[in-house]
Amino acid sequence: MATDKVLLEIFNNHFNGIVEEMGYVIHRAAYTVFVKETWDFDTSLITRGGEIFSHPRNIGVGNMIGIDVGPAISCIDDYQPGDVIVTNDSRATKGLCTHMPDIMLYKPLFFEGRLLCFAWCFVHSSDVGGLVPGSISPAAFDRFQEGICIPPTKLVSAGVLNEDLRDMIMANCRIPDQNWGDIKAMLASLTVCERRMGQLVKRYGFDVIDKGIDGLMNYGQSRARDILRQVPDGIYPFHDYVEGDYVSPYHLRINMSLVVEDGNVTLDFTGTDPQVTAALNIPSFGRANQWLVLGIVNYLRTSDRSLPLNRGILRSVGVDAPLGSLVNPTATAATGVRHVTGYRVADAVLGALSKAVPAAIPAAGAGQVAIVLFSYIDPATGGYQVSVLQPMQGGSGGRPGKDGIDGVNFSAGTLRNVPTEAIELEAPVFVRRYMLVEEASPGEYRGGTGVVLEFTCLASEAIVTARGMDRFKIRPFGRKGGEPGPLGNCTLDPGTPNERQRGKIEVLRLKRGDTVRIVSPGGGGYGVAIDRDPAGVLADVQNGLVTEGEAREVYGVVIVGDAVDEAATVALRRRHERPSGPEEFTFGPERVDYERVLTPALQDIVATLLAGRPPELRQYARGLLYDRITLEPELARLPDDELEARLARMLEQMLTMDVAAVA
């Protein structure tokens, strides 16, 4: 029965309808803007062992297929009908939860006296206590600064609400009424799921559904493996950077190799920089965490649009994430802004994939989602008001055969913008501008544009946080001769005598009348600009993305009035100098300058030297070595073996001096 593909497709559609209905319940019943407008929530059906066997296609964040609920399930000794478990604890759940604001509920579903599966959902809570309003500060030193931690605990036991637990959770957040409203929406979605699954069991029988779940997982595994077998065997290295402003003058390298063998894929993160005392770490616990496999999931879903969305598609994907690294930190590490690193991991994975299947992978997108959050004390109530203004995405990269998508990044495309009317209703701000940026990276297929948000504070005092800002210094890479994407930026009081560049926002205090302008990065271009269709260049000129002068200089296209001068364009393009062999990747001058001193080979050596040190010491030791190398750039010109020996001696001397100073 479980091998009948027709029945499996029927079950797949039944299950998908259930989890999507769960999502619409949360969407309609939730209280906070970030849930009801932006859709930062998800729902799924989970096997008894903890794997997703059905995941929504059309609602929610859509990137949680890699989660493993198994460790969380094992935290509870005895499940009864009517139980609901709550958690946001990354340690106890081994990376099911990856930061404190992700409040998760799961419920055992019993039918005919037997446990069939679990219903699961989460919302991103707009505040769970912690260092700042909204809970997440990029500069948080450790996880204890990031809010209340809830180990897997029964919020509802056999149908009875644990009011003491609820009250304790609500007492540790700034917006208890809104948070409880979101949790009630989740509880309603679990009830709907239980009802719908009961109807299926009544129709088909427990054993048939049980076998169907197992068969569907195997079906997903088989379909995904067929796709991965089309990727040529080999080892494909790539690296990219998270900007380390909050903790270091040096960027944080995501180093990985995509290892492919007969449809089996390993993501090897050996050489990735050490964990940091900032909120950029991904608590993967060395497992195929949802943030580490995001690039592979996107590739699979793009390659087969009808692929079953279950964790079976990842059974051929393994991860090697060294303990103490940015992608597998130790237990006390802060993780609130782990999505910045997660998006950069996805960029690195797709960069590696582009070496294996070059005709299938786009240029890099903006690679960031900056969640702009506004909070203030309401003078009418004396209580906090905390609201998300916008999830500031940027443009996606140019694609083989198509331009990048404006204002939307591939990896976060399911997050929705907040309507301006809703922003101004929920928060005392005046939105001056919310629009696409009039700048796109050149290419045969141009990069998608970023987004600009400009708003004025109307409260007497307020705090703005914007977790997730990145690509302010290292551009999204272009491909096949396309240009890298534009950088993001943030300006205070633009157009006034007080105008100043702010850089990335950690905690920004505002007074009435202060104005903030945030510009998100754009995606990289794909292909050589001189090959762009002149009609596309004309459209870009008409849309304000390219001037007529840039059309001539960059694209070799002559615009006269509202039309392309075809004869003049042909003549001009003949005179344009074409690159003899376009570079596979175009990284931009900022990364080139950075790696001129801190070369990839030198970074490899430093990573090797640090691997034997305690994880908590590595960030500090890396800084010591990079400081020395920056002062003595001639070190980078030494042969590798001599350089490694020299750096090893330096490190030992510097750490010994520190110990002696303390003594």
Side-chain angles (χ1 to χ4, degrees):
M1 181 80 67
T3 59
D4 182 340
K5 292 183 179 179
V6 173
L7 186 58
L8 290 181
E9 288 290 359
I10 290 172
F11 283 158
N12 188 40
N13 283 284
H14 272 307
F15 297 148
N16 187 254
I18 291 170
V19 295
E20 294 208 344
E21 185 178 2
M22 291 174 67
Y24 284 108
V25 169
I26 293 175
H27 172 230
R28 294 297 185 186
Y31 279 43
T32 57
V33 169
F34 206 40
V35 178
K36 66 186 181 183
E37 297 286 2
T38 302
W39 290 20
D40 197 343
F41 62 86
D42 234 334
T43 59
S44 285
L45 283 162
I46 310 292
T47 67
R48 289 187 294 270
E51 293 183 292
I52 287 178
F53 68 86
S54 186
H55 192 61
R57 292 182 180 276
N58 299 307
I59 190 166
V61 296
N63 65 358
M64 301 291 281
I65 293 176
I67 66 169
D68 181 2
V69 191
I73 290 172
S74 66
C75 289
I76 304 297
D77 294 329
D78 179 42
Y79 287 100
Q80 300 293 329
D83 288 350
V84 177
I85 290 77
V86 62
T87 187
N88 68 346
D89 183 358
S90 62
R91 287 187 298 185
T93 65
K94 296 292 187 290
L96 165 65
C97 312
T98 52
H99 67 177
M100 301 293 193
D102 284 351
I103 294 182
M104 300 189 176
L105 301 183
Y106 55 98
K107 180 176 188 175
L109 302 184
F110 288 87
F111 304 101
E112 301 175 1
R114 293 186 287 171
L115 176 62
L116 176 66
C117 61
F118 290 83
W120 168 91
C121 58
F122 97 95
V123 301
H124 178 105
S125 172
S126 291
D127 188 272
V128 289
L131 189 62
V132 297
S135 304
I136 298 176
S137 167
F141 185 86
D142 58 32
R143 72 193 300 268
F144 302 103
Q145 295 183 324
E146 297 188 314
I148 184 173
C149 178
I150 313 164
T153 310
K154 289 187 180 183
L155 177 64
V156 181
S157 182
V160 179
L161 175 66
N162 184 339
E163 295 185 6
D164 290 340
L165 175 60
R166 178 202 58 191
D167 293 346
M168 188 270 291
I169 295 171
M170 295 305 116
N172 281 277
C173 62
R174 294 173 175 87
I175 48 172
D177 291 343
Q178 288 185 292
N179 280 353
W180 181 234
D182 284 353
I183 290 175
K184 287 193 292 185
M186 288 197 286
L187 289 169
S189 80
L190 296 177
T191 299
V192 167
C193 179
E194 185 173 40
R195 184 184 307 135
R196 296 289 184 246
M197 287 298 290
Q199 292 167 351
L200 275 185
V201 170
K202 185 175 181 180
R203 179 175 180 180
Y204 291 99
F206 185 100
D207 291 334
V208 173
I209 297 293
D210 194 30
K211 291 178 181 177
I213 292 171
D214 186 57
L216 190 58
M217 298 293 292
N218 294 333
Y219 185 42
Q221 178 182 359
S222 174
R223 292 271 294 272
R225 194 178 178 90
D226 287 344
I227 298 169
L228 296 175
R229 280 199 177 103
Q230 303 305 309
V231 180
D233 289 357
I235 300 175
Y236 305 99
F238 198 84
H239 69 276
D240 207 338
Y241 295 96
V242 176
E243 296 163 3
D245 308 58
Y246 305 112
V247 71
S248 169
Y250 306 108
H251 303 311
L252 309 174
R253 185 174 70 153
I254 304 295
N255 192 68
M256 61 87 55
S257 291
L258 182 76
V259 183
V260 183
E261 185 177 2
D262 189 29
N264 292 306
V265 171
T266 300
L267 307 177
D268 184 354
F269 292 94
T270 300
T272 290
D273 275 338
Q275 67 186 66
V276 292
T277 50
L280 299 167
N281 306 286
I282 298 177
S284 71
F285 292 83
R287 303 155 69 88
N289 175 279
Q290 56 267 31
W291 286 108
L292 301 191
V293 300
L294 178 59
I296 291 292
V297 169
N298 286 350
Y299 175 69
L300 292 171
R301 293 183 64 173
T302 303
S303 300
D304 181 355
R305 300 299 178 90
S306 64
L307 186 72
L309 296 187
N310 63 54
R311 203 172 189 269
I313 68 174
L314 293 170
R315 287 178 174 174
S316 299
V317 179
V319 164
D320 184 358
L323 180 63
S325 68
L326 200 60
V327 294
N328 184 14
T330 53
T332 60
T335 64
V337 199
R338 83 288 188 248
H339 65 284
V340 171
T341 303
Y343 291 135
R344 199 61 64 252
V345 167
D347 286 344
V349 170
L350 292 177
L353 261 174
S354 69
K355 296 181 178 182
V357 283
I361 307 298
Q368 68 122 63
V369 180
I371 311 301
V372 183
L373 186 143
F374 186 96
S375 63
Y376 70 106
I377 302 292
D378 186 346
T381 65
Y384 259 105
Q385 295 293 325
V386 180
S387 185
V388 168
L389 300 186
Q390 282 296 351
M392 289 290 288
Q393 300 191 46
S396 61
R399 298 166 283 177
K402 289 185 179 181
D403 290 344
I405 304 171
D406 296 331
V408 176
N409 192 32
F410 291 130
S411 298
T414 51
L415 285 180
R416 303 200 168 200
N417 69 310
V418 182
T420 295
E421 296 83 357
I423 294 173
E424 295 179 339
L425 179 66
E426 295 280 347
V429 298
F430 173 62
V431 178
R432 295 182 173 276
R433 274 205 303 172
Y434 181 57
M435 58 186 290
L436 297 174
V437 177
E438 294 180 339
E439 180 183 11
S441 57
E444 181 180 2
Y445 303 102
R446 67 166 177 81
T449 67
V451 175
V452 57
L453 170 67
E454 185 175 316
F455 63 91
T456 297
C457 173
L458 302 181
S460 56
E461 290 184 300
I463 290 176
V464 169
T465 60
R467 63 182 183 273
M469 286 182 163
D470 209 54
R471 297 292 198 194
F472 277 42
K473 296 181 178 180
I474 297 288
R475 298 172 186 270
F477 56 80
R479 287 204 59 224
K480 300 289 186 180
E483 293 297 316
L487 296 170
N489 64 80
C490 177
T491 308
L492 298 184
D493 295 324
T496 74
N498 295 324
E499 177 177 327
R500 58 202 183 279
Q501 290 300 309
R502 174 60 171 75
K504 295 174 187 170
I505 294 173
E506 179 191 341
V507 177
L508 176 62
R509 295 180 179 273
L510 298 180
K511 295 186 181 299
R512 183 181 289 115
D514 289 343
T515 297
V516 182
R517 178 192 293 162
I518 300 170
V519 178
S520 66
Y526 186 99
V528 179
I530 199 69
D531 291 332
R532 184 164 177 77
D533 183 353
V537 178
L538 175 62
D540 290 343
V541 170
Q542 293 172 336
N543 288 324
L545 300 178
V546 177
T547 66
E548 290 188 9
E550 290 168 338
R552 285 173 174 267
E553 182 179 343
V554 177
Y555 290 102
V557 174
V558 179
I559 307 293
V560 178
D562 292 328
V564 174
D565 186 329
E566 296 184 6
T569 294
V570 170
L572 179 59
R573 284 189 161 184
R574 286 196 187 117
R575 298 197 300 272
H576 256 263
E577 183 178 343
R578 293 183 54 82
S580 56
E583 295 183 40
E584 183 63 38
F585 303 100
T586 312
F587 295 112
E590 298 85 359
R591 174 164 162 172
V592 170
D593 289 345
Y594 183 78
E595 292 188 338
R596 189 171 286 118
V597 176
L598 296 174
T599 65
L602 188 150
Q603 293 186 61
D604 288 342
I605 291 171
V606 171
T608 300
L609 293 175
L610 295 178
R613 300 287 177 174
E616 292 77 10
L617 183 63
R618 292 176 196 166
Q619 174 197 332
Y620 171 67
R622 171 181 173 268
L624 291 178
L625 286 175
Y626 281 6
D627 285 347
R628 189 69 171 269
I629 292 163
T630 303
L631 291 172
E632 301 179 38
E634 65 275 7
L635 289 170
R637 295 190 288 272
L638 295 174
D640 286 355
D641 55 348
E642 186 177 342
L643 176 60
E644 182 169 358
R646 182 88 170 267
L647 292 177
R649 289 195 299 272
M650 282 184 184
L651 182 60
E652 197 63 41
Q653 289 170 358
M654 288 186 289
L655 294 180
T656 301
M657 289 171 60
D658 282 350
V659 171
V662 171

